[in-house]
Amino acid sequence: MDYRKARQEIVEKNKGIRDKRTTLEEAVSMINDKDHVAVGGLQYTRTPMGVLWEIIRQKKQDITFYKPLMSFEGDWLFVSGAMGKAVTSWFSGGVTWGVSKIMRTFAERDPSTFEEWSLLGLSLRFKAGAMGIPCIPTKTMLGSDLEKIRGLKRFTCPYSGEEMLLIPAVNPDVAIIHSQIADKYGNAQIFGPPCLDIETAKAASKVILTTEQIVDNEHIRDAPNSTNIPFFCVDAVVELPFGCYPHECYGRYEPAYEKLGEYGQGLLKAEDKIGFVQEYLDKYFYQPADFPEYLDLFGVRSLVEATRRGRIWPL
Amino acid sequence: MSDYNPAELTVIMGSRALQDGQIIFAGAGLPLLSAIHAQKMHAPSLAILFEVGGVAPRITSLPRSTNEARSVRRSVATPATIDMMLYLQRGFVDVGFLGGAQIDRHGNINSSCIGTLEKPKVRLPGSGGANDIASSANRVFIISYHEKRRFVEKVDFVTSPGFLEGGQAREKTGLMGGGVEKVITNLGIMEFDKNSRSMTLTAVHPGITEEEVREKTGFELPVAEDLKTTTPPSEEELRSLRALDPEKRYLKAGDF
Amino acid sequence: MPRSYKELREVIENKDRGLREKVMSLTEAIHLIQDGDHVAAGGCHYSRTPMAAIWELIRQKKKDLVYSRSISSTEGDLLLVAEATKHVITSWFSPGVTWGVSRAMRHYIQEKLAIYEEWSHMSLGLRYRAGAMGIPFIPTRVMLGSDLFPRLPELKEMECPYTGEKLALVPALNPNVAILHTQRCDPYGNVQSEGLPFMDQDIAGASDKVIITTERIISNDQVRRSPDRTSIPFFQVDAVVEVPYGCLPHECYGYYEPDFSHMDYYVKLMMGKGPEGVKEYLDQYVYAPESWTDYLEMLKFGDILRATTDGRSVYND
């Protein structure tokens, strides 16, 4: 991770107020094979699923994905070849669906594909990256085997004498984030838990923002306190309703639990697990002509139910 | 007296260990059930924190994970994840309530791998926030099913530090927070010797013998001189608990 | 320079952080401050200054305080002249750009009656941030190479073991008491600030005790209906006091702008007569009134009305 290069990229890029609306396809064309891509949301909340879907469709390969709590999308990214390495603190479908067998297949065959950090440890990497410093001290991970395998350096605080671990910053090439609201300049308003998206947006060299709804800049100016990601961090804006599906978007729709359960159960029962995921990829990722056709596969009933259960008024 | 299964028994013991007015992190599954049960029974102002960013939510139906909209229902705040985790480091969190995959004699927890990380037999999901909680919470409670393969002499990988090698190792490393205070299982309750920091049996549940506990533990388990027997779950406690998980997603019979 | 790391944690671990109501009077709340405490004020310059809290702590004749704030304005003069503090930690100290350098502050600092410990604005923010994060220092590139660096002889450096870069280590700042003013707060201490957040969140996280004065106490249910508006969670707060117009003559975002007429009056008095002028001001406006409401009644309603109208206009198109 080259701090100076990362900083230079921010310095040189066009950060101005301009209309950044584009298509999913164009936005994802900014991502290259082998890039370091940070994924917003956590587990199955506010995942930028549309972007991941497009990344897989564009057959990107060998990307290092950072997602501090990883769910089934990890399976799809591994099997499609899009993900060469998962940097995360936790990788499993979800507590009720058991350990991800796909994760196990990849990580047991080649342990370097699952780079484990503690949740706070990985979060601090983004915090440091966002602050523009190369490292940040903490007590977390100290003494554990995670400290050892990550090769973290210790440091004795010269003021307090306390033994600290230094967590190295991360500045990903791209951050992909989904918000409920944004304007065309990229001012994003995330409602509910922001997870790590704010730090991630600041740490990354480029940010692709998908949003449930593009609103007028005046609406943003009406409530500036609600803006968590300012326009100058964002490079592309895509209006993508249900852009997290089948994961949830706080205040808009819940996860499609039944659909995720179908996948989870199906994977559990399948003898050829990789084959099962490849079929899933064919049906949901490669076949549909566009994102709405992908949503069609879940069906209107599923979307309506998830919306009915998940929407919050007033947001 | 009612019939209860191991999961129900363990959750109720976990619930009793929590106190009103505490600020806690509770992992998904049984720890969270214990916390919500405690709120209903004796700790109405117990405040639960979730990694995703929910502070003191009012949970009416059990969420599947601690990281979704259902888990932050009616919270008083939704801070960024990093700010949530940093409360631990600052000292605001009274109890970190964890589930254990593999636990050793000194309270270290493994949720990374069975075998070595270079050549894992089973690659487990990973730390999540468990390491952070174990590193910095003011005290840690662990809830676990009691069997030999989970209670080992030394974990294959220290994901979440308890007392490390025992004795003063935790303090010497520079970790803050009190480490593991209680391990609550379906057989009994274990605490840690003040000097050696070795897990010691301090209570058995009704109908359980110390022999059975020692037999199901994968290391020499010392027994406290004043070994207590816990009070069995009451009708009220069980009724309250069962209402929380009507589909028996967590409170099913057998291994948990 | 920073306080004992272990002691800082113990203070937090041992205090009652529970979900309980903490509403009390201004007098009771300020009793939480002891002589010799390090008191940090939220807001910045003349914006969202916890003026009522400062007014009360001067009346209670608190002494030997260390006073820290991101940027200090006229309240800093009052604290110096009242001899509540002899040690101010801040990045900039003046009534305001249009009024010139504070004659009162200059007197106390130049006559060596008090210390002005100057940090850059950002590094002071980083100090509070480290304190809130529960770490003893935070690395930065700010202040490297400036003259501030050698004048703070305790400031340490390090070489980043990952990149080899030189970094300044900004030590954590953990006040004993935070005094913060906000627009909305519930009885448990869940703070929902509007407008500029300044450093209030970090000051709250870094301090042993937190006193909140608020324009309006709202219900806990209202907080739960919009949890993402909460900037400071209840478990960091020890006292909640409802003090409408608690910042006057300074401003409170969205509610009222500064009472510029009163500020002009004060500055004229202070610049004209120096510390003597400030003493007159203290006698008349701080010691004489029996309550904060009595003090407010001394200000001109017309001026407050103008300030309120202007303050609310921030929500207009």
Side-chain angles (χ1 to χ4, degrees), chain A residues 14 42 45 76 120 124 129 168 187 190 207 231-232 243 258 301:
Chain A
N14 182 357
L42 271 185
T45 199
W76 309 327
L120 179 56
L124 284 167
N187 290 303
I190 295 172
V207 175
F231 68 92
F232 51 79
E258 307 78 23
R301 190 175 296 273

Side-chain angles (χ1 to χ4, degrees), chain B residues 7 37 47 76 83 91 123-124 128 135 147 159 173 196 209 211 252 256:
Chain B
H37 188 257
V76 296
D83 295 321
R123 199 9 166 138
L124 298 169
S135 297
E147 54 183 354
T159 309
T173 301
S196 68
T209 63
E211 286 73 39
K252 46 189 198 276
F256 52 78

Side-chain angles (χ1 to χ4, degrees), chain A residues 16-34:
Chain A
I17 295 186
R18 64 185 196 286
D19 190 343
K20 295 164 186 160
R21 286 175 297 182
T22 184
T23 62
L24 199 54
E25 212 180 303
E26 262 207 59
V28 171
S29 68
M30 279 199 278
I31 300 176
N32 302 310
D33 289 353
K34 296 194 196 303

Side-chain angles (χ1 to χ4, degrees), chain C residues 29 54 117 228 243 249 315:
Chain C
I54 289 171
E117 186 184 322
D228 46 13
V243 190
Y315 290 117

Side-chain angles (χ1 to χ4, degrees), chain A residues 73-115:
Chain A
E73 73 286 350
D75 296 354
W76 309 327
L77 291 167
F78 257 151
V79 174
S80 64
M83 176 157 76
K85 185 196 286 213
V87 180
T88 181
S89 77
W90 195 85
F91 190 155
S92 188
V95 177
T96 52
W97 295 308
V99 182
S100 161
K101 293 295 188 297
I102 299 296
M103 176 281 281
R104 283 192 55 191
T105 305
F106 280 80
E108 285 167 20
R109 185 172 63 201
D110 178 3
S112 73
T113 59
F114 180 170
E115 186 183 298

